[in-house]
Amino acid sequence: MFAVSPTARPASTPPNRRSALLDHAISLTGARRPKVCFVPTAVGDDPAAVAAVGAVLADVDGSHLTLFPQPNVRDVRAFLLAQDLIWVGGGSVVNLLAVWRAHRLDEILRECWEAGVVLGGGSAGSICWHLGGTTDSFSDDLDPVTDALGFLPFSNGVHHDATTQPRRALFQRLIDDGTLPSGYATDDGTGLHFVGTTLAEAVTSVPGADAYRVEPGVHRPLGARQI
């Protein structure tokens, strides 16, 4: 499992170049030519998102799974179980969870995880694997989401260093008052690598960015390794 807080692409980065975090997730598969499936449910299967990610997967066996207006593959379970990495894009985690459950993807993705497929993604694609987190799916004011997939028995805070939303303060407050369980948070450009449900390491592509263990009254930096 590789859960991340994505960051905006620097202006100097070519549009057809992968982020360091996606590169790292691909490396975790250990495959020579990995099968990588992009899942853009959180943005309503926006064709622009599919095209953008498809452009950076040219050197791997890249594909995508869309669910609107119906799945683009006949056997979703077999298709996903054949992947080495399933990468979930950001957007609305609330809408993502609702659509996935309607299509029983929650069950299929757990089966993939238990079979050794690497699961990962950024923002909504990070929160979804946990018990919950904070979301702007309803408004920029932020709300808790407490019914995520729960493969990882922790809460998850993304965009932790965002300057336009009080994500850091709200995440701590929701853990302090018991709305969310203890968990992990990431600054933009930072990822959490779990083996099973154990945190193996935190990595970052942004100098000075970090990940955090957050418990009631505790906000502890983890010292993310720069990649």
Side-chain angles (χ1 to χ4, degrees):
M1 186 82 69
F2 188 59
V4 312
S5 237
T7 189
R9 182 186 300 275
S12 59
T13 303
N16 61 344
R17 183 175 177 178
R18 280 196 298 266
S19 70
L21 292 173
L22 180 50
D23 264 339
H24 188 69
I26 291 172
S27 75
L28 295 177
T29 69
R32 292 188 63 182
R33 185 174 173 81
K35 294 181 178 180
V36 180
C37 176
F38 174 53
V39 183
T41 317
V43 288
D45 292 343
D46 182 359
V50 174
V53 175
V56 302
L57 297 179
D59 63 329
V60 299
D61 190 353
S63 63
H64 63 271
L65 173 68
T66 52
L67 301 173
F68 294 89
Q70 60 181 227
N72 64 316
V73 297
R74 181 173 293 275
D75 188 334
V76 173
R77 177 179 175 274
F79 174 72
L80 291 179
L81 280 167
Q83 304 301 314
D84 297 301
L85 168 65
I86 297 169
W87 187 258
V88 179
S92 171
V93 70
V94 170
N95 292 348
L96 174 152
L97 291 168
V99 173
W100 279 6
R101 286 176 171 133
H103 286 269
R104 300 181 65 183
L105 248 69
D106 51 341
E107 301 171 17
I108 293 170
L109 288 167
R110 178 174 282 278
E111 189 176 357
C112 291
W113 181 49
E114 292 172 347
V117 178
V118 178
L119 306 180
S123 195
S126 174
I127 295 170
C128 65
W129 313 117
H130 298 73
L131 289 169
T134 58
T135 181
D136 55 6
S137 295
F138 298 108
S139 76
D140 285 340
D141 293 334
L142 302 177
D143 295 279
V145 56
T146 59
D147 63 343
L149 299 183
F151 298 178
L152 298 172
F154 317 106
S155 58
N156 181 221
V158 296
H159 308 300
H160 208 50
D161 55 347
T163 58
T164 57
Q165 294 175 319
R167 287 182 177 266
R168 182 185 182 105
L170 178 61
F171 190 58
Q172 181 71 65
R173 186 165 69 250
L174 292 171
I175 290 174
D176 288 346
D177 69 16
T179 301
L180 292 173
S182 297
Y184 296 92
T186 48
D187 292 336
D188 280 352
T190 305
L192 302 165
H193 174 205
F194 290 89
V195 177
T197 59
T198 300
L199 180 65
E201 69 169 342
V203 297
T204 187
S205 61
V206 178
D210 208 346
Y212 309 85
R213 173 63 177 172
V214 186
E215 302 172 2
V218 175
H219 215 102
R220 177 169 57 88
L222 297 179
R225 176 174 66 88
Q226 188 166 345
I227 56 174

